[in-house]
């Protein structure tokens, strides 16, 4: 089988239609044909650009946020500075760089990265040389240390299942074969107990992410013993219809068009994050733009702008706007923080 499409069609012919979650899993993480297994997808030469790659200010603000939280929790002598889905390692590198301004913070940090892609692990090793990062396949092997954890655009890549309301039951949206093409179909009606609280009209599509509750609960369990976790992703308080999307060469396309060659994501249900995070203390959901402004990004942008002119200044101003403006990433991306039950929330977050 030369392509992931061939693999998927053979699988469907052998065992039947795939759930959307199974389709996403193969597309993103098939060991030899999956999207993240075979490439560095970031930047102009890739398919998308994340906030840490847009400007150093993003990582600086979050780094100082974590450092202040570390101070408020008594400056633990050892802690895990953890990132889930660290991309090129840019965010963690910026956190460590700005963290040098806080006495003892970097010296106390052990860098841990949860990353499934061998290709990206190599890039991260180069970005974080000198910090001896330790890689993990899942959060379950993170060390028993206070966890100061960042997850930027990580939850959106967790595979989802999609269900359509049909009377008192649900039909599941599946991926099946149509000749040599892939297409969507609906299963026969089946009960879905996980959606019992969703009172929606017939025909409404609802998404759920089976892997999210366990992952968030595991993070919350570790954070409850000390530290903080900050999740930043695009999404809403509750699932809003079909949000499965594909990006290829910085442009949206049909999620079934080029399996294994496009990034697949879905909007994050932050209500599900909050439900899974207890007994940790959970912040309100806030927008990325509001969070970054509360953390001081505009003052930092003004300071950096003093040494810039011409095209460099224009790019800097554009980056600040892209990260914070409501019509850009400012409102699309949301943030939520977890801390131990009796701890203060990180700066910028509301109880």
């Amino acid at each position: 089988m030369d392509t992931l499409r061939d693999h998927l069609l053979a699988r469907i012919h052998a065992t039947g239609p795939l759930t959307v979650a199974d389709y996403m899993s193969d597309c993103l993480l098939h060991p030899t044909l999956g999207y993240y297994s075979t490439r560095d997808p970031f930047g102009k030469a890739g398919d998308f650009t994340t906030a840490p790659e847009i400007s150093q200010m993003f990582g600086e603000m979050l780094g100082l946020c974590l450092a202040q939280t570390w101070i408020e929790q008594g400056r633990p002598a050892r802690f895990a500075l953890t990132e889930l889905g660290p991309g090129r390692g840019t965010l963690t590198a910026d956190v460590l760089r700005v963290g040098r301004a806080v006495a003892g913070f970097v010296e106390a940090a052990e860098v841990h990265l949860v990353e499934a892609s061998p290709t990206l692990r190599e890039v991260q090793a180069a970005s974080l040389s000198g910090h001896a990062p330790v890689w993990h396949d899942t959060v379950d092997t993170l060390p028993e240390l206070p966890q100061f954890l960042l997850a930027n655009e990580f939850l959106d890549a967790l595979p989802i299942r999609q269900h359509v309301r049909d009377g008192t039951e649900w039909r599941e949206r599946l991926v099946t074969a149509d000749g040599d093409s892939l297409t969507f179909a609906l299963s026969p009606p089946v009960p879905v107990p996980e959606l019992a609280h969703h009172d929606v009209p017939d025909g409404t599509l609802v998404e759920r992410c089976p892997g999210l509750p366990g992952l968030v609960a595991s993070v919350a369990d570790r954070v409850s013993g000390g530290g903080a976790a900050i999740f930043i992703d695009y999404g809403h308080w509750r699932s809003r219809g079909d949000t499965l999307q594909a990006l290829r060469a910085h442009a949206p396309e049909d999620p079934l068009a080029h399996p294994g060659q496009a990034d697949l994501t879905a909007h994050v249900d932050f209500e599900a994050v909050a439900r899974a995070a207890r007994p940790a203390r959970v912040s309100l959901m806030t927008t990325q733009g509001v969070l970054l402004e509360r953390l001081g990004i505009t003052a930092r942008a003004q300071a950096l702008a003093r040494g810039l002119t011409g095209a460099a200044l224009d790019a800097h101003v554009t980056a600040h706007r892209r990260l914070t403006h409501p019509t850009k990433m400012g409102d699309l991306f949301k943030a939520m923080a977890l801390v131990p039950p009796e701890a203060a929330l990180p700066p910028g977050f509301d109880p």
Side-chain angles (χ1 to χ4, degrees), residues 18-325:
L18 307 175
T19 66
V20 173
D22 286 340
Y23 174 74
M24 286 184 69
S25 293
D26 260 7
C27 285
L28 296 177
L29 294 173
H30 185 281
T32 59
L33 301 171
Y35 181 76
Y36 284 113
S37 306
T38 57
R39 73 200 68 211
D40 175 354
F42 300 95
K44 291 183 179 179
D47 297 305
F48 58 90
T49 303
T50 59
E53 305 293 337
I54 292 171
S55 171
Q56 69 186 64
M57 296 183 292
F58 182 80
E60 289 174 345
M61 294 302 99
L62 293 179
L64 292 175
C65 176
L66 289 183
Q68 181 62 37
T69 306
W70 174 74
I71 291 171
E72 292 175 356
Q73 292 191 16
R75 300 175 183 259
R78 290 177 62 228
F79 70 90
L81 176 61
T82 300
E83 186 176 357
L84 310 187
R88 290 176 170 169
T90 305
L91 176 55
T92 294
D94 286 340
V95 169
L96 290 165
R97 177 173 46 76
V98 75
R100 295 195 182 281
V102 179
F105 179 77
V106 171
E107 292 75 11
E110 295 183 6
V111 177
H112 292 265
L113 308 174
V114 176
E115 177 60 70
S117 167
T119 301
L120 289 177
R121 286 189 181 196
E122 292 181 8
V123 179
Q124 294 153 15
S127 299
L128 296 166
S129 60
H131 294 288
V134 177
W135 284 272
H136 303 262
D137 293 327
T138 72
V139 298
D140 297 325
T141 59
L142 291 173
E144 296 295 329
L145 290 172
Q147 289 287 331
F148 288 78
L149 180 148
L150 296 172
N152 179 64
E153 292 199 55
F154 177 79
L155 297 178
D156 63 6
L158 295 180
I160 60 162
R161 297 180 75 163
Q162 295 184 318
H163 306 271
V164 177
R165 187 80 186 201
D166 184 4
T168 60
E169 296 180 301
W170 299 85
R171 294 178 184 266
E172 182 158 11
R173 197 182 192 203
L174 303 172
V175 177
T176 190
D178 181 12
D180 291 334
S181 299
L182 297 168
T183 188
F184 287 115
L186 292 177
S187 74
V190 291
V192 185
E194 296 88 347
L195 297 181
H197 67 289
H198 275 71
D199 184 14
V200 295
D202 272 8
T204 301
L205 187 148
V206 174
E207 296 174 340
R208 64 185 182 91
C209 182
L212 184 146
L215 183 144
V216 173
S218 184
V219 170
D221 180 62
R222 284 158 172 76
V223 165
S224 292
I230 298 175
F231 293 99
I232 300 179
D233 233 308
Y234 50 85
H236 311 280
W237 178 247
R238 185 172 290 175
S239 171
R240 294 186 180 181
D242 180 10
T243 70
L244 178 66
Q245 61 188 37
L247 271 180
R248 188 167 179 248
H250 297 271
E253 69 170 28
D254 180 345
L256 303 183
H258 294 97
Q261 300 176 50
D263 184 41
L264 294 181
T265 59
H267 285 204
V268 174
D269 181 339
F270 277 91
E271 180 186 30
V273 176
R275 287 176 181 272
R278 296 182 175 87
R281 186 180 184 194
V282 184
S283 77
L284 288 178
M285 183 184 75
T286 189
T287 65
Q288 175 178 295
V290 167
L291 175 64
L292 293 176
E293 291 293 357
R294 288 174 175 175
L295 294 176
I297 193 172
T298 294
R300 178 57 174 156
Q302 291 169 344
L304 289 172
R306 295 189 190 106
L308 302 175
T309 59
L313 178 59
D314 292 342
H316 175 64
V317 171
T318 298
H320 174 262
R321 177 179 172 82
R322 187 173 175 186
L323 290 173
T324 61
H325 196 274

Side-chain angles (χ1 to χ4, degrees), residues 4-15:
L4 185 61
R5 180 187 302 279
D6 295 333
H7 164 81
L8 292 167
L9 289 171
R11 183 176 174 188
I12 290 167
H13 289 308
T15 61

